[in-house]
Every structure is written in structure tokens, then in C-alpha cells.
Amino acid sequence: MAYFNEFAFEKGGKFYKTIGIQHFKKFVPFGDYFFRLIRVLRPGISMVAQKGGVQKEAASLVAFTVLIEAIHLLFFFVMVVLLIRTYVTSGKISTLNIALNLLINVLPILVQRYNRIRILRTFNLRLEDCFALPGKK
């Protein structure tokens, strides 16, 4: 679980600002433009947690970022293995596949890390708190 904690280079958010992750996150599923579209299509729907549920919602969102990041991480390694296999068998490096792996897996991993760090800081949570069993802390 230590991998999902904040690394030293992520502290302060300067790294994410430098690479422009806040702009990329607008376009991903469940990103800024997705929620904007939902508000247009369903004007009555509320994206804000109901009374007393904000901390619980935040913990659920942190768990969701871990799940999505883990899935993208898995597929990142699958793509790396396929890229290596292609290089070994044909001697060719597929620039397109490398670019797609960055776009489809690496950037979403960075978005999930960026979001998780912001949620944990905003709600003064620890990652472990988001996975604690009810009644345990």
C-alpha cells in the first residue's frame, strides 16, 4: 500500500503543475468536462455529498483513485511487456504504442495520484483511514 502514498517529489503539487496535469484531467472520464456535461444533461442532480457524508464520500473517492490507478498500472505493465516482446521478435520499437501507453495509462495514473493527494489534504485524511474497517481505526 506504500506505493499509493505521496512520494517526496509530489509534495506541494509543483510537479503536477509543471507537467500540466490539471489541464489533462479535464478530459478524462469523471473529469471536469464530464461533470460539466452531467450538470447540463441532468440539471437537478447534485455532485455534492449530502449532510454528514462528506468525509465518507472523500474516503470513497480516495479508494476509487487507488482502484483506477491500480488498473492503469496493471495495463501499463502489460503494454511494456508487449512492447518488449515486439522489440525482441522484430527488432522494431513502436513509437505509436509507446505514445499510446503514455496517454492511456501513465497520464491517468498521474491524474489519480494528483486527485488522491488533493482529497487527502483537503479532508485531512490518511490513506489508511480510507480502507479501515467499520469500527476500527
Side-chain angles (χ1 to χ4, degrees):
M1 189 73 119
Y3 164 80
F4 294 103
N5 283 314
E6 188 175 15
F7 293 119
F9 70 89
E10 295 173 304
K11 294 195 186 304
K14 187 176 180 183
F15 168 74
Y16 292 109
K17 189 171 186 165
T18 302
I19 64 171
I21 208 71
Q22 69 276 13
H23 301 296
F24 178 75
K25 82 179 208 82
K26 293 176 184 176
F27 300 98
V28 298
F30 301 106
D32 299 346
Y33 292 142
F34 172 83
F35 286 116
R36 217 179 268 179
L37 178 64
I38 293 295
R39 283 192 290 275
V40 168
L41 296 175
R42 304 277 311 271
I45 197 166
S46 173
M47 300 294 177
V48 179
Q50 298 304 314
K51 186 177 179 181
V54 176
Q55 200 82 359
K56 195 181 214 180
E57 281 289 321
S60 294
L61 284 172
V62 168
F64 182 72
T65 66
V66 168
L67 173 66
I68 298 302
E69 183 178 345
I71 290 168
H72 279 287
L73 195 59
L74 172 70
F75 281 102
F76 167 78
F77 286 116
V78 168
M79 286 294 294
V80 167
V81 168
L82 292 174
L83 285 165
I84 292 170
R85 182 176 168 258
T86 301
Y87 178 72
V88 168
T89 58
S90 70
K92 296 179 182 178
I93 294 177
S94 174
T95 309
L96 176 63
N97 284 344
I98 292 171
L100 284 174
N101 200 14
L102 287 172
L103 184 66
I104 294 171
N105 292 311
V106 175
L107 287 174
I109 287 170
L110 294 174
V111 167
Q112 297 310 316
R113 295 191 68 80
Y114 173 75
N115 286 339
R116 181 169 51 255
I117 291 165
R118 289 177 54 230
I119 294 167
L120 290 172
R121 239 185 242 137
T122 301
F123 292 96
N124 198 24
L125 293 170
R126 293 176 319 135
L127 186 62
E128 297 77 22
D129 297 338
C130 301
F131 294 94
L133 295 172
K136 302 236 180 192
K137 208 148 191 190

